[in-house]
């Protein structure tokens, strides 16, 4: 649609920005005029449709027609506007633009939800709305608008899932939630899955004060109940009780520990002057061509002066060895993808940014609402396809044969 530039020039001629964009400026008047024109058009369509329906035989019923208008104050982006809503004699007209009992344009609600999703508090949203639009939005109104998302959150948490996911990354963030009159620090576990076509999806959120096999059994049972039958590779960072639980729910799933987290843990023991040497020695382990070569590299590190100087490093690798060695069976394309849980850590950093302004949440549901909105606000970033997926998919199809679902 093209805009008549001459018309715009005439509208702007001799007027200041306040005359154009102020609360009583031309833009507000145009918004009102356009809305009322749209409502009038809706009425015309409504009356034409009713006249097209013949009256029942034997009844002499006059056709429906306009019956004046009534005023309604609605909240728009530009502030509060008084609209003349057309009425019909039969009282059957219910406009789509602004429904009978609606007092806010949908776009206004979406702006509030968007601000909430970006971590703004209710007080900040209230001040912003009043400053920009000159509209008083009470805390109860803001809560009502954002609470309307909860049905969507519930539906999302219970939606059916794919039968098989090639790779699932599991990680957690901590949030403060009030329960039984006290604030506790709870873990919110997030599952980020790679789909057969290479795109990514968050499978759900789970809240728990303390992780363990019982909790993970509940999470994995939830995934099974929602349709998941198989997970090829689960990438985790030392989640307590997870290996036992996933073995019971998905016995064929390969568990892979995050190599980067293991390296960071090792680096915590090394002094600054030895960090490069330790990193080089450990790199020989996780870049080995196979398990035998990796075991040899680990044995060499155990016999080195570095291992004797930092005796906690080698045992940390030995404790996690069963979750390290699956990594060594994969070709380079797959190794690069599962080398770290950075993809889910990047997602969690966006969630943390949204929850940072909250001292605590009144309930799990309140935290889930904000996290869900934060996920939606950044979905274009984390939903995109993983790099080199074509090569990774080919390797997974060879490694897992009939278990891998070709997209």
């Amino acid at each position: 649609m093209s805009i008549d530039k001459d018309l715009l020039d005439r509208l702007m001629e001799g007027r200041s920005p306040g005359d154009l964009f102020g609360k009583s400026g031309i833009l507000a008047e145009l918004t009102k005029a356009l809305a009322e024109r749209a409502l009038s058009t809706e009425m015309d369509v409504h009356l034409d449709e009713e006249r097209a329906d013949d009256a029942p035989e034997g009844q002499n019923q006059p056709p429906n027609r306009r019956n004046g208008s009534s005023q309604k104050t609605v909240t728009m982006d530009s502030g509060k506007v008084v609209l003349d809503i057309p009425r019909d004699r039969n009282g059957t007209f219910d406009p789509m633009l602004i429904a009978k009992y609606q007092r806010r344009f949908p776009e206004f609600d979406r702006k509030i939800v968007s601000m909430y999703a970006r971590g703004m508090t209710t007080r900040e949203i209230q001040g912003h709305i009043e400053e920009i639009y000159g509209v008083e939005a009470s805390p109860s109104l803001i809560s009502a608008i954002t609470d309307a998302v909860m049905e969507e959150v519930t539906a999302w948490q219970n939606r059916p899932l794919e039968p098989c996911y090639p790779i699932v990354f599991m990680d957690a963030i901590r949030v403060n939630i009030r329960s039984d009159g006290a604030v506790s620090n709870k873990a919110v576990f997030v599952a980020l899955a790679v789909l057969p076509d290479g795109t990514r999806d968050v499978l759900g959120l789970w809240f728990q004060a303390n992780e363990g096999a019982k909790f993970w059994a509940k999470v994995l049972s939830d995934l099974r109940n929602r349709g998941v039958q198989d997970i090829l590779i689960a990438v985790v960072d030392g989640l307590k009780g997870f290996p036992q639980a996933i073995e019971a729910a998905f016995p064929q799933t390969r568990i892979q520990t995050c190599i980067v987290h293991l390296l960071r843990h090792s680096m915590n023991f090394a002094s600054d002057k030895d960090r490069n040497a330790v990193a080089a020695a450990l790199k020989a382990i996780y870049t080995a061509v196979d398990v035998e070569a990796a075991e040899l590299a680990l044995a060499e590190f155990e016999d080195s002066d570095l291992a004797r100087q930092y005796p906690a490093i080698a045992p940390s690798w030995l404790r996690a060895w069963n979750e390290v060695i699956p990594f060594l069976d994969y070709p380079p394309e797959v190794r690069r993808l599962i080398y770290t849980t950075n993809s889910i850590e990047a997602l969690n950093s966006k969630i943390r940014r949204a929850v940072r302004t909250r001292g605590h949440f009144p309930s799990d549901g309140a935290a889930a609402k904000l996290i869900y909105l934060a996920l939606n606000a950044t979905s274009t970033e984390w939903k995109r396809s993983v790099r080199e997926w074509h090569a990774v998919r080919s390797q997974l199809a060879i490694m897992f044969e009939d278990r891998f679902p070709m997209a």
Side-chain angles (χ1 to χ4, degrees), residues 42-43 47 71 145 191 203 223 228 277 282-283 290 355 398:
E42 279 197 63
M43 174 62 83
L47 294 177
Q71 290 191 331
I145 291 172
L203 304 185
L223 294 177
V228 181
L282 296 177
K283 185 176 182 180
D290 53 30
V355 304
I398 294 171

Side-chain angles (χ1 to χ4, degrees), residues 1 12 90 129 214 219 223 240 277 292:
M1 180 181 69
M12 295 174 63
N90 293 348
I129 292 293
K214 186 176 180 180
V219 171
L223 294 177
K240 184 180 178 181
E292 289 75 16

Side-chain angles (χ1 to χ4, degrees), residues 31-326:
T31 302
K32 171 180 168 65
L34 287 170
E36 290 179 347
R37 179 64 181 271
L39 289 166
S40 180
T41 301
E42 279 197 63
M43 174 62 83
D44 290 338
V45 172
H46 173 70
L47 294 177
D48 287 343
E49 289 177 348
E50 285 205 348
R51 287 165 186 160
D53 296 332
D54 295 330
E57 189 175 348
Q59 293 186 17
N60 186 18
Q61 183 177 336
N64 193 11
R65 58 186 176 84
R66 287 176 178 267
N67 187 31
S69 63
S70 60
Q71 290 191 331
K72 176 191 284 191
T73 301
V74 297
T75 303
M76 298 183 174
D77 289 350
S78 56
K80 289 190 175 181
V81 177
V82 179
L83 296 179
D84 291 324
I85 310 293
R87 298 182 303 189
D88 63 332
R89 183 168 291 276
N90 293 348
T92 55
F93 178 56
D94 187 7
M96 291 184 292
L97 182 67
I98 184 78
K100 281 184 177 179
Y101 304 105
Q102 192 175 348
R103 292 286 176 180
R104 301 181 307 275
F105 266 67
E107 190 61 33
F108 183 79
D109 286 13
R110 282 193 286 271
K111 276 185 166 45
I112 287 181
V113 169
S114 177
M115 286 185 281
Y116 189 87
R118 281 163 174 76
M120 291 179 68
T121 64
T122 299
R123 187 179 297 276
E124 289 170 338
I125 295 172
Q126 185 181 16
H128 183 78
I129 292 293
E130 186 168 0
E131 180 181 351
I132 302 299
Y133 304 118
V135 175
E136 292 185 9
S138 66
S140 59
L141 171 64
I142 296 170
S143 294
I145 291 172
T146 55
D147 283 346
V149 178
M150 283 310 300
E151 288 186 13
E152 193 176 333
V153 174
T154 302
W156 175 76
Q157 286 276 65
N158 294 289
R159 75 196 189 280
L161 299 176
E162 296 289 331
C164 178
Y165 290 97
I167 302 169
V168 174
F169 298 90
M170 306 289 288
D171 201 7
I173 63 170
R174 308 293 299 195
V175 295
N176 293 322
I177 297 176
R178 179 174 291 278
S179 178
D180 298 327
V183 176
S184 61
N185 189 251
K186 280 191 175 182
V188 182
F189 291 91
V190 184
L192 178 65
V194 179
L195 278 67
D197 64 357
T199 58
R200 290 173 284 192
D201 189 24
V202 175
L203 304 185
L205 305 170
W206 296 269
F207 292 76
Q208 181 70 11
N210 299 297
E211 60 186 274
K214 186 176 180 180
F215 167 70
W216 283 113
K218 178 183 175 182
V219 171
L220 296 169
S221 176
D222 177 43
L223 294 177
R224 289 191 66 89
N225 291 337
R226 292 165 60 196
V228 181
Q229 299 171 15
D230 194 10
I231 296 172
L232 303 186
I233 303 171
V235 185
V236 299
D237 176 32
L239 298 178
K240 184 180 178 181
F242 185 81
Q244 301 92 319
I246 201 166
E247 185 177 350
F250 301 101
Q252 291 183 287
T253 297
R254 291 193 180 186
I255 303 171
Q256 175 62 53
T257 194
C258 175
I259 302 295
V260 167
H261 279 80
L262 197 54
L263 285 170
R264 288 176 186 165
H265 177 74
S266 300
M267 292 298 105
N268 287 336
F269 297 105
S271 65
D272 290 343
K273 68 181 182 66
D274 290 330
R275 287 174 69 88
N276 288 338
V278 171
L282 296 177
K283 185 176 182 180
I285 300 172
Y286 64 83
T287 59
V289 294
D290 53 30
V291 175
E292 289 75 16
E295 289 174 342
L296 180 61
L298 179 58
E300 289 177 354
F301 176 75
E302 286 183 282
D303 291 335
S304 69
D305 291 338
L306 284 173
R308 284 187 286 273
Q309 189 173 352
Y310 305 109
I313 295 179
S316 68
W317 282 76
L318 289 169
R319 285 193 298 270
W321 195 245
N322 288 336
E323 284 77 49
V324 171
I325 55 177

Side-chain angles (χ1 to χ4, degrees), residues 257-260 263 286 327 334-341:
T257 194
C258 175
I259 302 295
V260 167
L263 285 170
Y286 64 83
F327 179 82
V334 179
R335 286 192 186 190
R336 281 193 290 271
L337 179 58
I338 65 172
Y339 170 71
T340 174
T341 56

